[in-house]
């Protein structure tokens, strides 16, 4: 059963947070009714877990300065605490959020003054930093997509100046091979990405991708590898062919550096 003190706690919390805040408390008649109110909560940790796992029964939304909104719920199995998380600010698209560290929610005391201090010291600074960064990213001119063109029976890769490799697959077998080799699919770039921070590890993963793709009869085409790339000079996959085009992807590199 939901606790009966959430409404009083949320109202008292709104009075103690810095700036002017209002409180909107709502009881939910059914389990599905809790999800529309929680849409947009900027959390991938315990607050998200509580929303998905528990019947909350009620919640409160606090609205404050600069369009800041906070989501307040009971902390399951802890009667001495509540959970508080921020909402994603309005006007921000999902494709920008994955580039910013999520300002996860916090567990706070059931004493309003102490909870307000915990939120002001822990949650709000993280939230404000994330908002500043995500709005900067959203305002930047979009660069060309990282994904290289699809090539029949080949995995097409582009090797960027910052060491990042973006790959486009020809079929599901090729996608499986890249997953097994350590590539990660980015749905916003529509490409499989391999970070170049550790060049030796990148080479190892490229060689593993080459082995797995060769076993499936799939080739690799690399476009625009930098001439001085340490990963290329160290030990590239033996079946790599390139470059397939002469135009350097300078705009894409500049876009990544800016973001």
């Amino acid at each position: 059963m939901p606790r009966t003190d959430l409404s009083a706690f949320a109202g008292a919390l709104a009075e103690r947070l810095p700036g002017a805040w209002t409180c909107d408390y709502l009881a939910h008649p059914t389990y599905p009714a809790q999800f529309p109110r929680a849409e947009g909560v900027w959390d991938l940790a315990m607050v998200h877990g509580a929303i998905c796992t528990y019947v909350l029964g009620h919640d409160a939304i606090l609205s404050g300065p600069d369009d800041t909104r906070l989501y307040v719920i009971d902390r399951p199995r802890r009667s001495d605490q509540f959970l508080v998380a921020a909402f994603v600010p309005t006007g921000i698209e999902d494709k920008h959020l994955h580039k910013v560290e999520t300002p996860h929610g916090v567990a706070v005391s059931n004493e309003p003054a102490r909870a307000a201090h915990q939120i002001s010291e822990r949650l709000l600074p993280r939230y404000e930093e994330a908002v500043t960064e995500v709005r900067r990213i959203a305002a930047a001119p979009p660069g060309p997509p990282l994904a290289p063109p699809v090539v029949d029976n080949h995995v097409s890769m582009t090797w960027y100046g910052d060491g990042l490799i973006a790959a486009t697959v020809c079929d599901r077998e090729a996608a499986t091979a890249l997953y097994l080799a350590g590539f990660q699919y980015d749905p916003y770039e529509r490409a499989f990405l391999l970070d170049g921070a550790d060049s030796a590890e990148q080479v190892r993963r490229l060689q593993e991708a080459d082995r797995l793709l060769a076993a499936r009869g799939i080739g690799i085409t690399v476009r625009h590898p930098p001439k001085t790339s340490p990963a290329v000079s160290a030990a590239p996959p033996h079946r790599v062919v390139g470059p397939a085009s002469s135009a350097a992807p300078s705009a894409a590199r500049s876009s990544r550096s800016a973001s």
Side-chain angles (χ1 to χ4, degrees):
M1 294 292 294
R3 289 155 48 187
T4 59
D5 57 340
L6 174 61
S7 177
F9 170 81
L13 179 63
E15 294 175 356
R16 289 164 173 80
L17 288 171
W21 292 79
T22 59
C23 176
D24 175 22
Y25 170 84
L26 185 66
H28 304 305
T30 63
Y31 173 58
Q34 73 190 38
F35 296 108
R37 291 261 291 185
E39 185 175 357
V41 170
W42 207 355
D43 180 278
L44 296 175
M46 58 183 170
V47 179
H48 175 78
I51 294 168
C52 296
T53 307
Y54 293 92
V55 178
L56 301 177
H58 55 188
D59 61 33
I61 296 176
L62 307 186
S63 300
D66 301 321
D67 194 34
T68 302
R69 295 187 303 142
L70 301 179
Y71 185 69
V72 186
I73 57 174
D74 301 327
R75 183 174 187 183
R77 304 180 184 277
R78 290 291 301 270
S79 61
D80 61 334
Q81 292 185 341
F82 292 91
L83 297 179
V84 182
F87 283 91
V88 174
T90 57
I92 298 298
E93 299 180 52
D94 287 346
K95 66 181 180 180
H96 299 127
L97 296 178
H98 78 294
K99 300 178 181 180
V100 176
E101 185 174 354
T102 302
H104 301 299
V106 294
V108 299
S109 166
N110 61 359
E111 202 286 308
R114 184 179 178 189
H117 177 76
Q118 292 169 325
I119 292 167
S120 299
E121 292 294 314
R122 296 166 55 199
L123 175 58
L124 291 180
R126 290 203 306 261
Y127 167 77
E128 291 166 2
E129 182 178 349
V131 169
T132 298
E133 180 64 9
V134 78
R135 284 179 174 161
R136 183 190 67 80
I137 293 171
L146 293 179
V150 177
V151 179
D152 290 342
N153 203 39
H154 273 70
V155 167
S156 182
M157 297 184 181
T158 298
W159 205 318
Y160 290 95
D162 58 2
L164 180 78
I165 295 175
T168 300
V169 300
C170 54
D171 56 27
R172 184 173 295 182
E173 284 286 302
T176 299
L178 292 187
Y179 270 126
L180 293 174
F183 282 73
Q184 297 294 319
Y185 185 72
D186 187 326
Y188 301 103
E189 297 291 355
R190 298 183 180 180
F192 289 84
L193 305 182
L194 183 62
D195 187 83
D198 184 336
S199 60
E201 178 65 12
Q202 186 183 58
V203 168
R204 188 191 70 77
R205 292 184 182 277
L206 279 172
Q207 291 174 333
E208 178 65 6
D210 181 64
R211 183 186 69 80
L212 294 170
L213 291 167
R216 293 165 168 79
I218 300 171
I220 300 176
T221 299
V222 175
R223 299 167 179 268
H224 319 304
K227 294 180 181 179
T228 58
S229 169
V232 175
S233 60
H238 65 278
R239 296 184 306 114
V240 167
V241 179
S245 175
S246 59
S250 57
R253 293 199 298 269
S254 298
S255 172
R256 289 194 60 77
S257 299
S259 61

